[in-house]
Each structure stands twice: as structure tokens, then as C-alpha cells.
Amino acid sequence: MSNTSSIRRAARQRREYLYRKSLESQSTSTTDKKRQLISSEAKGAPVPTEIRNEYDDLKKSVDADDVRTEEGVKTIDDEYATLGLYDPRICVTTSREPSSRLKQFSKEINLIVPNAQRINRGGYRVDELVNAAKEADFTDIIVLQETRGEPDGLVISHLPLGPTAFFSLSGTVLRHDIEGVGSMSEVYPHVLLDGFESKLGARIGNVLRSLFPVPKPDSKRVVTFHNDNDFISFRHHMYAKSGMDKVALSEVGPRFEMRLYQLRLGTLDQTQAEMEYVLRPYQNTG
């Protein structure tokens, strides 16, 4: 496929997605009005002034709703509508001119994520990298970043439409730095997400979960993302039953801490895409 055709296809897909998002905004407004109506009727209160002119239409819609339609249209997670139906294909790469430590870290990330392929960044620009990944039918791009030889950034961009999540990294410990590290199987791992109950948490949970295919029930490999006060701890274990009610865990690394600082609609190359979340640690919200 030519580069021009690829650009046109990406632009068309983006327009279609933005149109679906506009429908979601309209649906969300209607859903809020229906909730107001239901609440007022449940309390025996008068219908709120702002929805009286729409009472008849809203009442008909409420009466016709079922469990699937009462929440309205949700297109923001259309990017993950097929999550679990198909095995993902992940492109793992780094910032330009990576240090030996970042190269080793990228190799270990490549082992953690099934169906991942590590790509030498070389002289690729971001837009060239994204277009090449789309043409190769990758579902996600992981870009690892560093400062003075220490991994300090991880970017996950979902293809072909986004979103793109930017994480800072800290406390990275590579496999060979973990004392008594166990051997690692390449079987598909179980993914444990702990502490992702909020709306944003569920969104980030999808971003992380989409990197991993569905494992077999008897898989003895586990990757854990534990969220505590917006800091996400990553751990990687193998386990085995050591008795009737006992399980022995063996850490196989690597381990690191993540913190989301930006979530952007669109792919990595779309720098002007809408911001869904931006970390502002010093903002006074009181």
C-alpha cells in the first residue's frame, strides 16, 4: 500500500471516530436528562424546569429503555471493542540512540508481552514509525524512553486510532539485578489489575490489558499492575502449587513503577489530538 493511501485511510478512520464521538456527546446529554426525570419521579418531586419542554419525548425514551440502552451510546472505548477476540501484535521500540541499559530493558519488555516484536528505531521519525506499524498490522506501539541511561518513560499507542498513554517510569530493576530470579516461561500470562475502579482507572486498565492475549486457564505466569494513589507497580511472577492450599511465587522480573501523566485521543504522531487526561500535581483543586 502506498504512503498516500495509508494517510488517506488513517484520516478517514479518524473522521469516522470523531463523528461517533460527537454522537456520544449528544447521547450523554440525553442520558443525563433522563436520569433527572427518573430521579424526580422517584422522589415525587416536580419535573425540573430545564427538561419540562422535553418531558414527553424523555418519558417515552425512559419507558423504552432496557439494561443495554439506558446508559446511552459509549464510543470512547470503541478502540477496544474487540479486546480478547484477537491476539494483539505489539511493536516495541525505544527513543533514538538508546543506551545498553535501555536496549536490555526493551528486550525484557519484549519477553513480557506475547506476540511482541522489537524494532530498532534507527532514524525513524514518529510519523514514519506509526505508519510503518499500521501497515504491518500492529495493534499497539510501546516506546521506551530514558534519561542518562535510566529508563524513565513508557508510551503505549493503540492503533489505528489511539488512544496514546504516557507514563513516567521509576525504580526500574532488570531481571539480572533481581536476586534469585527464576526462569521465565513464554506462555501467555494472566493479567491482574488491582485498583483500577475509577472511570480513568478502567480506561487505563483497557490500555494495559489490550497488550496481552487471553491466556489458557492452566497458565502459571502472572503479570500484575497494582494501582495505589495513581502510582502503578508492575510485577512479573511464575507460580506453582506447593501443597494442598499453598502457592509458591517466583519473581521473574523486571519490576518498575509507572505513573500516568497524559492520556491523549489519537495516535502517537497526532500531537494536536484532544487531551483526555493531563497530570497536574501542583494544581490547587480545593
Side-chain angles (χ1 to χ4, degrees), residues 66-138:
D66 57 24
V67 294
R68 295 187 63 187
T69 60
E70 64 184 4
E71 290 299 322
V73 179
K74 293 183 178 179
T75 61
I76 197 166
D77 280 320
D78 272 3
E79 310 101 323
Y80 301 107
T82 60
L83 187 62
L85 297 180
Y86 306 99
D87 285 354
R89 293 187 66 241
I90 314 301
C91 172
V92 177
T93 190
T94 66
S95 52
R96 291 178 178 174
E97 300 180 359
S99 66
S100 59
R101 182 169 171 80
L102 189 64
K103 288 180 181 177
Q104 180 60 35
F105 185 48
S106 71
K107 291 178 182 178
E108 296 188 8
I109 293 295
N110 193 62
L111 289 175
I112 290 171
V113 180
N115 304 324
Q117 182 175 344
R118 192 165 60 92
I119 303 296
N120 183 0
R121 173 70 177 272
Y124 272 119
R125 300 194 312 268
V126 170
D127 59 329
E128 293 173 334
L129 178 65
V130 171
N131 287 333
K134 287 179 180 179
E135 291 184 6
D137 291 327
F138 283 109

Side-chain angles (χ1 to χ4, degrees), residues 101-277:
R101 182 169 171 80
L102 189 64
K103 288 180 181 177
Q104 180 60 35
F105 185 48
S106 71
K107 291 178 182 178
E108 296 188 8
I109 293 295
N110 193 62
L111 289 175
I112 290 171
V113 180
N115 304 324
Q117 182 175 344
R118 192 165 60 92
I119 303 296
N120 183 0
R121 173 70 177 272
Y124 272 119
R125 300 194 312 268
V126 170
D127 59 329
E128 293 173 334
L129 178 65
V130 171
N131 287 333
K134 287 179 180 179
E135 291 184 6
D137 291 327
F138 283 109
T139 59
D140 296 85
I141 300 175
I142 296 177
V143 180
L144 304 172
Q145 302 165 331
E146 66 180 342
T147 299
R148 293 186 292 276
E150 183 63 29
D152 66 351
L154 184 150
V155 181
I156 302 172
S157 186
H158 190 61
L159 302 178
L161 299 175
T164 299
F166 298 80
F167 300 90
S168 60
L169 291 184
S170 60
T172 301
V173 181
L174 302 183
R175 273 175 50 81
H176 65 265
D177 294 326
I178 298 176
E179 185 176 352
V181 66
S183 59
M184 188 187 76
S185 167
E186 293 188 23
V187 67
Y188 291 176
H190 297 285
V191 180
L192 299 183
L193 297 171
D194 180 42
F196 291 82
E197 289 80 15
S198 68
K199 184 177 179 180
L200 178 62
R203 180 77 160 145
I204 297 305
N206 274 344
V207 171
L208 298 172
R209 190 187 295 112
S210 70
L211 302 176
F212 298 89
V214 177
K216 293 183 178 180
D218 59 353
S219 173
K220 297 297 190 294
R221 183 180 168 209
V222 180
V223 296
T224 303
F225 296 92
H226 171 70
N227 180 36
D228 183 11
N229 197 28
D230 296 334
F231 287 89
I232 303 170
S233 297
F234 173 84
R235 297 295 185 269
H236 184 201
H237 295 88
M238 298 294 297
Y239 73 91
K241 291 186 177 180
S242 58
M244 183 65 69
D245 298 316
K246 296 182 179 179
V247 172
L249 280 179
S250 173
E251 186 174 4
V252 293
R255 72 168 80 122
F256 49 86
E257 312 300 316
M258 310 164 59
R259 191 180 193 188
L260 178 74
Y261 65 87
Q262 188 180 114
L263 180 62
R264 193 167 71 202
L265 295 176
T267 51
L268 182 58
D269 57 325
Q270 295 173 328
T271 57
Q272 301 303 314
E274 178 185 347
M275 294 293 181
E276 192 173 338
Y277 169 82

